[in-house]
């Protein structure tokens, strides 16, 4: 709906008067930045038109709201004009605030990278995306944004990823990494987790530009938060540059009554200031002086201004003054990160300017027609570019050439090892196997291992990465002295250099997966694939899941290891016992989850997951590991080379049959560390004369894809996951081998997690089923007591199998 304008603010007034021009009519005429002003005005028109067409012109078959954010676009159009058409260089990257997507599309249109058909496709199927996207927009964004806080912080992690590639693989240069952030987005805690990370204060290429329009979705922000925001950035070691006022106001501040006017504006509340934006000139003369001790001085000042200048002045904030913005950009110190706080008006240049509910407001057809007249545009042919011979056209052409980026051809693919052929013996946990596999990989395939980079939120030593960290060192853009190198009692050696391969962040899982996403995108940015592995405690995977998912949506491919997991971590109690994570890989697109029971399975699944990274058809992986010690002989790994290869194929395809009896009466299906109890239950049943087949599931998600394929689904999964002629996601061969119809019997499924994860397996052959697992918060205790409490101990499995076999 249109919000309307006050009576003497009609859009048919003098061209670009009032809140439509960034500098005011008089100032604009004298400006040496007129071509940039013209570009800004065209961008404002085009971005408004993109949203208007999607909502009011394009047929809407469903009747559902299409949406868009005209006011949010108008708020930042001046900033983006100054950046793209003056400041940015080809090596720079920009994360654009989500609601400014149409502004970015308008800029690409002026560059000739989009055509008119694209401009009519906002939020249509296959068209311009609602929020900038690296993978779905016709012109890929530098960073996908849309989930508040995640896009804003992505350039921080992109900066680290770029530095890592530059120091470890090949020179690719170091450009600035910009984030365009709305001030309301700073409410997101993930923003500050990233800002205060100890390593970030050294990243001088980071520049955040805060669009300080003092509005959120529902309201005007009640308090004056700018000072607090500035102080928080400053305390984190950032340079802070504030752009409060434009030239018109600064000139008024320098004259009679100017100091009093500055003080009045600075001290009034946000809602009062926003209300002034909605006032006529007569109302401004009444309201602006206020009732303080300087009221008489202010009345004299405003009394000497004509109506147009007065209304321009109250809107003349620094974030809409291109000259003031460029001056601020020129003061950026590249030795430390910078926050530019730019005061703006939400809806600047539109009738909805400053309205407290303008977040999703759409201007009406009448308002759009009036805006067209003021912009010298045609509502029936809105998609106009500049004449190439005009001053604005020459700036656009020069900017397009300046921003042209070199291509980085992908490196030649190398063959990654599939089997390290270690004999896994004794009693060991899957978590311990992780460290051994990485060490074996570094010895047997150093070329592959050189691209592995591990990341941890201060838990590397407690997740068995200590040996790996000692061998490869810790990555840092600047070498640091290890003061404990000569301490004989220090086991974990913290040797920092630009050649290290382990990165340690603070205890903030959101930061870790943000970095994983950017490390996992280097293959598409610079043609240099990395093999990033993040390790965190499994109970905190859900905390990190949403930003990690967003990284995958943006094209980042990585491996996340959650360990230790489940109630097998018995003494830690319910707070540290994960329940829901086993089904993650079934539910997240572009992700495969493995929960290996044995060290050999860890090796195979990790190596295979590495082969799936850094490629157009690749995908991420999540390995759920345990500290539960398991007798490795239970894996019964074949010694024959062909049989061993077949076992490997089955492990990476989702599961394998561990025991097969002549005439099974029940089938026991287990996953992860629970295989100890499952196999013990099978032995007990055998002693009772009840034959039980045993299946070890390694990936419920891949088995589900296979089931969907067997049902003829056209949406069975993404690109191939397993290697070899008879493997792949959604390939029903694995079901034929592990769950053949001729051996269909009642089933008992067991896992250290929610029982629904494996329940679908009973539908393969439509058998009776008992699902055992964890569906309540845990208790502290030893493992036998905790397993018994949740009904996943050996006795419970035997009882369930006896009941199922009689059905």
């Amino acid at each position: 709906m249109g919000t309307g304008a006050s009576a003497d603010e009609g859009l048919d007034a003098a061209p670009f008067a009032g809140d439509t021009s960034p500098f005011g009519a008089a100032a604009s005429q004298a400006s040496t930045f007129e071509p940039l002003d013209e570009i800004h005005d065209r961008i404002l028109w085009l971005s408004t038109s993109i949203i208007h067409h999607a909502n009011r012109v394009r047929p809407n078959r469903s009747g559902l709201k299409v949406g868009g954010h005209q006011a949010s676009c108008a708020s930042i159009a001046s900033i983006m004009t100054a950046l793209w058409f003056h400041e940015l260089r080809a090596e720079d990257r920009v994360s654009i605030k989500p609601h400014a997507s149409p502004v970015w599309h308008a800029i690409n249109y002026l560059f000739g990278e989009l055509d008119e058909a694209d401009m009519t496709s906002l939020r249509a199927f296959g068209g311009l995306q609602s929020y900038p996207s690296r993978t779905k927009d016709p012109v890929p964004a530098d960073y996908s944004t849309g989930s508040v806080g995640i896009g804003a912080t992505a350039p921080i992690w992109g900066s680290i990823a770029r530095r890592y590639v530059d120091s470890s693989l090949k020179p690719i240069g170091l450009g600035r990494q910009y984030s365009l952030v709305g001030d309301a987005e700073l409410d997101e805690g993930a923003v500050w987790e990233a800002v205060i990370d100890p390593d970030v204060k050294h990243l001088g290429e980071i520049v955040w530009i805060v669009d300080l329009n003092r509005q959120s979705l529902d309201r005007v922000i009640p308090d004056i938060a700018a000072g607090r925001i500035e102080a928080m950035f400053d305390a984190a070691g950032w340079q802070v540059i504030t752009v409060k006022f434009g030239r018109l106001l600064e000139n008024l501040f320098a004259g009679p009554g100017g100091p009093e006017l500055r003080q009045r504006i600075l001290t009034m509340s946000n809602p009062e200031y926003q209300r002034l934006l909605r006032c006529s000139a007569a109302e401004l003369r009444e309201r602006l002086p206020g009732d303080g001790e300087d009221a008489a001085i202010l009345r004299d000042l405003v009394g000497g201004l004509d109506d147009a200048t007065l209304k321009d002045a109250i809107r003349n904030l620094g974030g809409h003054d291109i000259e003031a913005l460029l001056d601020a950009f020129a003061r950026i110190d590249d030795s430390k990160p910078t926050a530019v706080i730019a005061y703006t008006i939400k809806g600047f240049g539109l009738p909805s300017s400053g309205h407290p509910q303008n977040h999703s407001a759409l201007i009406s057809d009448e308002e759009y027609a009036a805006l067209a007249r003021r912009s010298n545009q045609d509502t029936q042919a809105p998609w106009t570019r500049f004449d190439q011979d005009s001053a604005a056209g020459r700036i656009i052409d020069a900017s397009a050439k300046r921003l042209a980026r070199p291509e980085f051809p992908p490196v030649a693919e190398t063959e990654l090892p599939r089997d390290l052929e270690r004999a896994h013996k004794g009693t060991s946990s899957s978590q311990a196997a992780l460290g051994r596999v990485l060490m074996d990989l570094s010895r047997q395939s150093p070329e592959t291992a050189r691209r592995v980079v591990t990341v941890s939120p201060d838990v590397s030593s407690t997740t068995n990465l200590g040996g790996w960290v000692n061998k490869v060192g810790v990555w840092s853009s600047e070498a640091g002295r290890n003061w404990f190198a000569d301490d004989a009692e220090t086991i974990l050696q913290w040797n920092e250099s630009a050649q290290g391969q382990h990165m340690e962040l603070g205890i903030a899982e959101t930061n870790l997966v943000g970095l994983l996403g950017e490390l996992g995108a280097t293959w598409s940015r610079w043609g240099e694939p990395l093999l990033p592995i993040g390790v965190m405690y499994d109970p905190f995977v859900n905390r990190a899941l949403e930003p990690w998912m967003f990284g995958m949506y943006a094209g980042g491919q990585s491996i996340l290891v959650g360990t230790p997991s489940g109630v097998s971590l018995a003494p830690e109690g319910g707070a540290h016992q994960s329940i829901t994570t086993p089904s993650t890989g079934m539910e997240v697109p572009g992700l495969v989850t493995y929960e290996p029971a044995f060290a050999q399975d860890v090796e195979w699944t990790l190596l295979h997951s590495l082969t799936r990274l850094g490629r157009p058809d690749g995908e991420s992986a999540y390995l759920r590991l345990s500290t539960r010690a398991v007798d490795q002989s239970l894996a019964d790994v074949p010694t024959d080379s062909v049989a061993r290869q077949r076992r490997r194929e089955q492990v990476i395809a989702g599961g394998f049959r561990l025991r097969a009896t002549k005439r099974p009466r029940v089938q026991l299906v287990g996953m992860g560390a629970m295989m100890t109890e499952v196999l013990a239950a099978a032995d007990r049943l055998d002693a009772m004369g009840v034959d039980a087949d045993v299946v070890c599931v390694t990936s419920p998600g891949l088995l589900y894809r296979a089931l969907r394929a067997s049902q003829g689904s056209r949406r069975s999964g993404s690109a191939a996951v397993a290697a070899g002629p008879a493997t792949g996601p959604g390939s029903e061969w694995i079901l034929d081998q592990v769950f053949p119809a001729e051996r269909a019997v009642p089933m008992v499924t067991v896992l250290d997690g929610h029982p629904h994860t494996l329940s679908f397996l009973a539908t393969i052959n439509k058998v009776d089923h008992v699902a055992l697992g964890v569906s309540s918060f845990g208790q502290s205790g030893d493992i036998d007591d905790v397993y018994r409490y949740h009904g996943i101990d050996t006795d419970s499995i035997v009882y369930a199998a006896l009941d199922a076999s009689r059905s």
Side-chain angles (χ1 to χ4, degrees):
M1 63 180 179
T3 55
S6 56
D8 65 347
E9 279 188 300
L11 282 172
D12 289 318
F16 293 97
D19 64 356
T20 306
S21 169
F23 308 128
S28 182
Q29 291 173 2
S31 174
T32 60
F33 294 86
E34 286 184 2
L36 291 176
D37 298 350
E38 294 176 18
I39 293 172
H40 161 268
D41 295 336
R42 187 65 55 86
I43 288 172
L44 176 64
W45 164 256
L46 288 172
S47 60
T48 303
S49 297
I50 291 171
I51 300 169
H52 183 82
H53 187 281
N55 287 272
R56 303 209 186 271
V57 179
R58 191 173 69 218
N60 186 337
R61 294 173 300 192
S62 68
L64 297 175
K65 174 186 174 182
V66 175
H69 301 86
Q70 289 173 330
S72 294
C73 288
S75 176
I76 203 169
S78 303
I79 294 171
M80 293 180 68
T81 299
L83 273 178
W84 264 264
F85 298 98
H86 186 278
E87 195 66 19
L88 292 181
R89 299 298 180 265
E91 60 270 23
D92 299 336
R93 298 291 186 273
V94 186
S95 172
I96 303 163
K97 76 171 188 176
H99 294 156
S101 175
V103 177
W104 178 62
H105 297 317
I107 290 172
N108 285 327
Y109 179 72
L110 291 181
F111 282 150
E113 296 178 352
L114 297 175
D115 58 30
E116 291 189 8
D118 293 315
M119 303 294 273
T120 65
S121 69
L122 179 70
R123 301 191 174 203
F125 185 80
L128 300 179
Q129 296 300 294
S130 309
Y131 312 116
S133 173
R134 285 197 70 225
T135 57
K136 295 183 181 298
D137 268 312
V139 178
D142 289 336
Y143 294 99
S144 294
T145 58
S147 189
V148 172
I150 297 174
T153 60
I156 291 177
W157 317 124
S159 175
I160 295 176
R162 182 195 295 238
R163 286 183 177 223
Y164 185 89
V165 171
D166 192 77
S167 64
S168 301
L169 299 176
K170 72 179 181 185
I172 55 174
L174 290 173
R176 283 181 179 170
Q177 297 274 343
Y178 290 88
S179 289
L180 306 183
V181 186
D183 55 341
E185 191 168 6
L186 297 181
D187 291 344
E188 174 57 57
V191 165
W192 299 107
E193 288 184 359
V195 166
I196 67 174
D197 188 90
D199 287 336
V200 171
K201 65 178 180 291
H202 302 297
L203 303 178
E205 64 268 35
I206 297 296
V207 179
W208 283 26
I209 303 175
V210 180
D211 174 13
L212 192 77
N213 59 41
R214 300 164 306 285
Q215 285 187 239
S216 59
L217 192 151
D218 291 328
R219 61 176 182 163
V220 176
I221 297 172
D223 63 337
I224 303 174
R228 184 177 72 250
I229 292 171
E230 293 168 7
M232 292 171 72
F233 277 110
D234 181 71
W238 291 47
Q239 175 189 208
V240 180
I241 300 172
T242 303
V243 192
K244 286 187 178 179
F245 303 114
R247 285 163 291 163
L248 177 56
L249 268 179
E250 291 289 1
N251 289 336
L252 289 175
F253 294 156
E260 290 80 8
L261 178 60
R262 176 188 286 272
Q263 185 67 14
R264 168 74 173 123
I265 294 176
L266 288 176
T267 56
M268 70 173 59
S269 69
N270 287 337
E272 182 181 6
Y273 175 77
Q274 296 291 115
R275 182 62 185 90
L276 294 180
L277 299 176
R278 310 293 299 165
C279 288
S280 66
E283 291 171 326
L284 279 173
R285 297 183 196 282
E286 179 67 26
R287 289 173 178 257
L288 180 56
D291 54 8
E293 60 182 20
D294 296 327
I297 297 174
L298 293 174
R299 277 195 291 271
D300 289 342
L301 188 155
V302 300
L305 301 176
D306 60 64
D307 288 356
T309 301
L310 177 59
K311 290 192 294 181
D312 284 349
I314 199 62
R315 295 166 172 80
N316 190 226
L317 299 184
H320 300 301
D321 187 321
I322 290 180
E323 184 176 3
L325 288 167
L326 295 183
D327 176 70
F329 298 158
R331 288 184 279 136
I332 292 174
D333 176 3
D334 287 325
S335 68
K336 57 183 177 181
T338 299
V340 177
I341 313 296
Y343 282 62
T344 62
I345 297 170
K346 196 165 185 175
F348 182 80
L350 300 178
S352 60
S353 174
H355 194 283
Q357 281 84 50
N358 67 5
H359 181 78
S360 298
L362 301 171
I363 64 175
S364 66
D365 287 334
E366 294 76 14
E367 291 167 336
Y368 180 65
L371 179 63
R373 290 191 291 273
R374 295 185 62 176
S375 306
N376 295 317
Q377 297 298 311
D378 184 353
T379 60
Q380 302 304 307
W383 318 117
T384 57
R385 295 187 175 98
F386 287 98
D387 189 308
Q388 291 183 339
D389 293 329
S390 66
R394 289 193 292 272
I395 289 177
I396 292 170
D397 181 64
S399 298
K401 292 177 180 176
R402 184 183 71 249
L403 297 177
R405 293 173 178 167
E407 292 187 7
F408 291 95
V411 297
E413 289 192 20
T414 58
E415 184 70 19
L416 273 67
R418 301 178 184 277
D419 192 333
L420 300 176
E421 299 185 355
R422 168 190 276 268
H424 297 277
K425 299 178 180 180
T427 300
S428 178
S429 69
S430 56
Q431 176 180 292
L434 169 68
R436 289 198 300 271
V437 171
L438 288 176
M439 292 296 290
D440 287 347
L441 182 66
S442 67
R443 287 188 289 264
Q444 297 188 32
S445 183
E447 184 177 355
T448 297
R450 189 67 193 93
R451 294 185 179 272
V452 173
V453 53
T454 55
V455 187
S456 169
D458 200 33
V459 295
S460 56
S461 59
T462 55
T463 53
N464 285 88
L465 288 182
W468 165 261
V469 173
N470 286 345
K471 180 175 179 60
V472 302
V474 178
W475 183 86
S476 175
S477 57
E478 299 178 359
R481 181 174 179 179
N482 180 4
W483 289 97
F484 290 87
D486 58 351
D487 187 338
E489 296 182 2
T490 299
I491 299 175
L492 181 63
Q493 294 298 325
W494 210 253
N495 298 312
E496 296 181 345
S497 73
Q499 284 70 50
Q501 291 180 243
H502 177 74
M503 295 183 181
E504 192 87 3
L505 301 179
I507 307 174
E509 287 78 12
T510 297
N511 287 352
L512 180 140
V513 295
L515 178 54
L516 274 187
E518 291 307 317
L519 291 170
T522 61
W523 66 275
S524 59
R525 293 192 189 279
W526 303 293
E528 289 287 347
L530 293 174
L531 306 176
I533 302 172
V535 181
M536 68 172 63
Y537 291 159
D538 195 68
F540 307 137
V541 166
N542 283 334
R543 179 188 300 175
L545 185 56
E546 193 263 342
W548 190 39
M549 283 176 56
F550 199 82
M552 286 183 264
Y553 166 80
Q557 299 165 9
S558 59
I559 297 172
L560 184 63
V561 177
T563 183
S565 64
V567 301
S568 296
L569 192 65
E572 292 285 346
H576 277 186
Q577 296 173 353
S578 53
I579 297 173
T580 62
T581 50
S583 62
T584 296
M586 300 175 66
E587 300 159 1
V588 178
L591 177 67
V592 170
T593 290
Y594 287 109
E595 185 165 348
F598 307 106
Q600 184 63 74
D601 302 345
V602 174
E603 175 189 317
W604 285 336
T605 56
L606 179 61
L607 292 177
H608 174 70
S609 297
L610 290 172
T611 70
R612 300 296 305 145
L613 303 180
R615 49 194 299 167
D617 63 343
E619 60 187 337
S620 297
Y622 161 47
L623 271 64
R624 188 175 189 256
L625 305 184
S626 173
T627 51
R628 170 82 185 284
V630 174
D631 180 358
Q632 297 303 306
S633 68
L634 297 176
D636 195 22
V637 179
T639 56
D640 177 80
S641 60
V642 174
R644 178 185 175 92
Q645 169 65 10
R646 197 53 174 163
R647 168 69 71 85
R648 188 193 73 85
E649 291 175 347
Q650 291 173 338
V651 166
I652 64 177
F656 58 95
R657 183 173 296 278
L658 194 51
R659 291 188 185 177
T661 57
K662 290 184 178 181
R663 294 183 178 83
R665 291 173 54 189
V666 67
Q667 185 175 55
L668 304 183
V669 181
M671 188 166 74
M674 295 306 307
M675 290 309 299
T676 296
E677 279 65 34
V678 170
L679 289 167
D683 290 340
R684 292 257 300 273
L685 290 168
D686 179 65
M688 299 165 60
V690 178
D691 286 350
D693 283 358
V694 176
V695 170
C696 179
V697 170
T698 55
S699 175
L702 290 180
L703 295 179
Y704 182 74
R705 292 186 192 181
L707 176 61
R708 294 286 287 161
S710 71
Q711 296 169 339
S713 170
R714 292 177 297 172
R715 303 181 185 275
S716 57
S718 58
V721 169
T727 61
S731 300
E732 52 192 282
W733 70 269
I734 187 66
L735 302 183
D736 295 336
Q737 291 194 9
V738 180
F739 302 102
E742 63 272 15
R743 298 185 68 85
V745 290
M747 177 184 294
V748 177
T749 56
V750 191
L751 74 155
D752 187 355
H754 200 282
H756 87 277
T757 305
L758 300 179
S759 294
F760 74 94
L761 295 174
T763 68
I764 296 172
N765 292 312
K766 298 179 175 58
V767 298
D768 291 333
H769 173 229
V770 179
L772 303 181
V774 181
S775 55
S776 62
F777 291 115
Q779 300 284 339
S780 296
D782 63 40
I783 201 165
D784 291 336
D785 290 339
V786 172
Y787 277 13
R788 190 176 303 110
Y789 172 78
H790 289 288
I792 55 175
D793 59 312
T794 301
D795 286 350
S796 297
I797 298 171
V798 171
Y799 290 144
L802 291 174
D803 290 342
S805 65
R806 298 190 185 104
S807 61

